[in-house]
């Protein structure tokens, strides 16, 4: 099967932003399974309820790399509430779209970001981990 990526996807693929780890991060989240596909790990730094730094590491296809890169650009500078509201569609739109067979890759970026925020909230004692995706809003 042949995939065609647009210029935005190719730019993020060949020049990914914010790749790497944050030493002593405020939150870490991962999603995926390297045994059967893609895996992404997201690291966040939070200051005054705002994401001041977002980095990622990924094992996966070009669309997964591009999605992780685009997610970091979207999320950096956002409040926790704004970042938790980032959807798979937001990431796909930021990339100018992905081939249908690669849309699932945008799920990785948002899912790992949400997991990193959840980890941060648990570390802060603001959530117990079981009720993180309720409709309650975070304190901004």
């Amino acid at each position: 099967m042949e995939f065609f990526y647009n210029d935005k996807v190719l730019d993020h693929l060949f020049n990914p932003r914010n790749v790497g780890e944050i030493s002593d991060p405020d939150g870490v989240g991962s999603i995926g399974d390297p045994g059967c596909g893609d895996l992404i790990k997201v690291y966040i730094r939070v200051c005054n309820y705002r994401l001041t730094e977002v980095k990622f590491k990924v094992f996966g296809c070009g669309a997964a790399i591009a999605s992780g890169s685009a997610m970091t650009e979207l999320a950096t500078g956002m409040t926790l509430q704004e970042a938790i509201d980032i959807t798979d569609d937001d990431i796909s739109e930021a990339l100018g779209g992905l081939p249908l067979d690669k849309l699932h890759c945008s799920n990785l970026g948002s899912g790992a970001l949400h997991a990193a925020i959840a980890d941060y909230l648990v570390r802060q004692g603001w959530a117990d981990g079981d009720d993180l995706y309720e409709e309650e809003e975070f304190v901004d």
Side-chain angles (χ1 to χ4, degrees):
M1 184 170 287
E2 202 170 323
F3 299 106
F4 295 98
Y5 294 128
N6 65 45
D7 289 341
K8 282 185 183 180
V9 174
L10 291 174
D11 182 39
H12 279 280
L13 171 60
F14 293 118
N15 305 293
R17 283 67 145 177
N18 306 304
V19 174
E21 297 179 24
I22 296 173
S23 61
D24 195 25
D26 294 322
V28 179
S30 61
I31 193 168
D33 180 359
C36 61
D38 302 315
L39 172 70
I40 186 170
K41 192 167 192 175
V42 173
Y43 304 82
I44 59 172
R45 176 133 5 259
V46 180
C47 184
N48 295 323
Y49 311 106
R50 191 170 291 278
L51 296 176
T52 57
E53 189 175 13
V54 181
K55 290 194 172 193
F56 79 106
K57 292 176 80 175
V58 67
F59 172 81
C61 67
I65 295 167
S67 293
S69 176
M71 176 276 299
T72 65
E73 285 195 323
L74 284 172
T76 301
M78 287 185 163
T79 65
L80 293 173
Q81 183 63 51
E82 291 167 338
I84 202 74
D85 289 339
I86 291 176
T87 67
D88 307 335
D89 289 339
D90 293 331
I91 295 172
S92 181
E93 282 181 34
L95 290 168
L98 289 168
L100 280 177
D101 288 349
K102 292 295 181 176
L103 275 176
H104 67 279
C105 294
S106 64
N107 299 353
L108 297 173
S110 62
L113 174 64
H114 297 163
I117 293 170
D119 180 53
Y120 169 75
L121 295 173
V122 170
R123 289 181 188 203
Q124 297 300 309
W126 296 338
D128 66 11
D130 293 332
D131 60 338
L132 290 172
Y133 296 101
E134 298 294 323
E135 294 196 24
E136 298 177 45
E137 291 195 10
F138 301 118
V139 177
D140 286 321

